[in-house]
Amino acid sequence: MFETLGERLQGALGDVRSRGALTEEDVAKAMRQVRLALLEADVNFKVVKQFTAAVKDRATGADVLESLNPGQQVVKVVADELTELMGGSGRELVLSKSGPTVILMAGLQGSGKTTACGKLARYLKEEKGLDVALAACDLQRPAAVDQLKTVGERAGATVYEQGTGRDPVDVAEWALGQARAERRDVLIVDTAGRLHVDAELMDQLAKVKKRTKPHDVLLVVDSMTGQDAVNVAEAFAEAAEFDGVILSKLDGDARGGAALSVKALTGKPILFASTGEKLDAFERFHPDRMAQRILGMGDVLTLIEKAEQRIDERQAQELERKIRRDQFTLDDFLEQMQQVRSMGPLQNLLKMLPGVGSQLGSLSVDDKELDRLQAIITSMTPEERANPKIIDGSRRRRIAAGSGTNVQAVSQLVKQFAQMRKLMKQMARGKMPSLAQIASGR
Ligand SMILES: Nc1nc2c(ncn2[C@@H]2O[C@H](COP(=O)(O)OP(=O)(O)O)[C@@H](O)[C@H]2O)c(=O)[nH]1
Ligand SMILES: [Mg+2]
């Protein structure tokens, strides 16, 4: 997501970034390139105009131009304005203190509502420990109820459904009664979409809203539809009130401009970003982190949060202890590698590291290479894994044959592991935050 925008903007700012001194004319030139970059990434022209004017105004001030590192200051202004454009500090779902929190999903057909119901349910269950139920109120297509049932099952959420023969508004009201009686924390209502924004759709949405009084109406916007996504959001904003946006299919939208424009044009915050078909391809949308990611400043916080989900504190402490005492073995390495891989494709993970995002094009991080490393390590005996120093020539030949690799590959792994161990020991002794601190988010 946002690859094109990121590349373009980083290109536009590359020159200023590295300069020691800047004139107003330099900034103006860079802003012309920023303007083009945004337009090429499909950002709405009204938004582009406002954005570049705001950046230019702030970036040509004496505080920036006469500072010690004007180039970096300009990049910071762009990051700040980009953050502002995407919603400032961001917003969380507001949970009801009494009775179930009701969330209503709205959007066009195919925008990703049903998928988002499952993703949000999973998110609320896993990250917040809430008991979530889904209400099947898309009764246009017979398959819609089944789809929600499947998604609900995967997410570990109860699904309230009454088949397709009834009025969706009645089903919604009934489901709310069920959620209250069963003391669910959250009820997410899936609704029918249409191909276009029309009066009937808005009417039904208004009725469901009136009967269930949702705490939040979330509009699911398909980022892959470009400027249409923006038009849809504007039409919904005019016709029906909604409170926030879920951007779906960001994985398929390299340009990302439409998504960027939604907040600016509707005034509604983006709460979540959906980045794939799987249920866990879903994250809270943090405008500041996203801006930094787009500008190649990395997104270490999201990375840490992802890691937090997988590594528990006890494990992390154990690992840290081993590193400090220089007892980190190839077995630990294997375990770490598997843990990292369980977080999702390595490419996605690495993109979040500062400076790595824009270089990924040339650098190929091969999941196959990791398979090879795993094969080599698993071909070693427990003794060899605990103490790689004993791996001599004949052992190397045996391991190479066992893992279907060659002696050079085994030697390289042993050498790299020794270097890594040294580095880790240095890091553990230095002022880096401890792994336990990172894992517990403190
Ligand atoms: N690649 C990708 N596909 C998605 C995403 N969200 C939904 N989809 C797919 O988009 C299609 C329509 O989604 P669905 O939830 O049924 O849309 P609805 O009609 O609004 O309920 C399905 O094939 C989903 O698998 C996403 O974030 N990324
Ligand atoms: Mg649906």
Side-chain angles (χ1 to χ4, degrees), residues 197-270:
V197 178
D198 62 17
E200 212 180 329
L201 171 72
M202 293 302 169
D203 188 45
Q204 196 185 82
L205 202 59
K207 279 188 187 141
V208 176
K209 259 181 82 171
K210 207 166 147 203
R211 294 261 200 104
T212 56
K213 304 214 166 31
H215 298 82
D216 268 316
V217 180
L218 298 184
L219 182 70
V220 181
V221 176
D222 179 347
S223 3
M224 275 162 79
T225 56
Q227 285 306 309
D228 268 350
V230 180
N231 297 335
V232 168
E234 282 193 298
F236 265 91
E238 267 170 39
E241 293 265 308
F242 64 94
D243 305 293
V245 173
I246 296 181
L247 285 178
S248 72
K249 310 190 195 175
L250 268 179
D251 51 316
D253 173 34
R255 296 194 296 172
L260 270 191
S261 320
V262 167
K263 162 67 178 61
L265 292 175
T266 64
K268 303 294 180 191
I270 302 165

Side-chain angles (χ1 to χ4, degrees), residues 318-369:
E318 172 67 18
L319 182 67
E320 192 193 340
R321 196 182 54 79
K322 280 187 168 171
I323 294 174
R324 276 186 197 283
R325 299 192 182 166
D326 203 15
Q327 291 170 343
F328 187 76
T329 65
L330 275 164
D331 267 323
D332 300 318
F333 178 57
L334 188 65
E335 194 182 306
Q336 289 304 305
M337 194 153 75
Q338 278 157 351
Q339 228 159 39
V340 168
R341 295 183 82 178
S342 74
M343 290 183 212
L346 198 62
Q347 302 267 359
N348 289 352
L349 212 64
L350 288 176
K351 270 186 217 155
M352 294 178 194
L353 287 172
V356 174
S358 59
Q359 288 165 24
L360 261 189
S362 55
L363 185 127
S364 79
V365 193
D366 207 342
D367 274 320
K368 279 205 194 92
E369 173 64 20

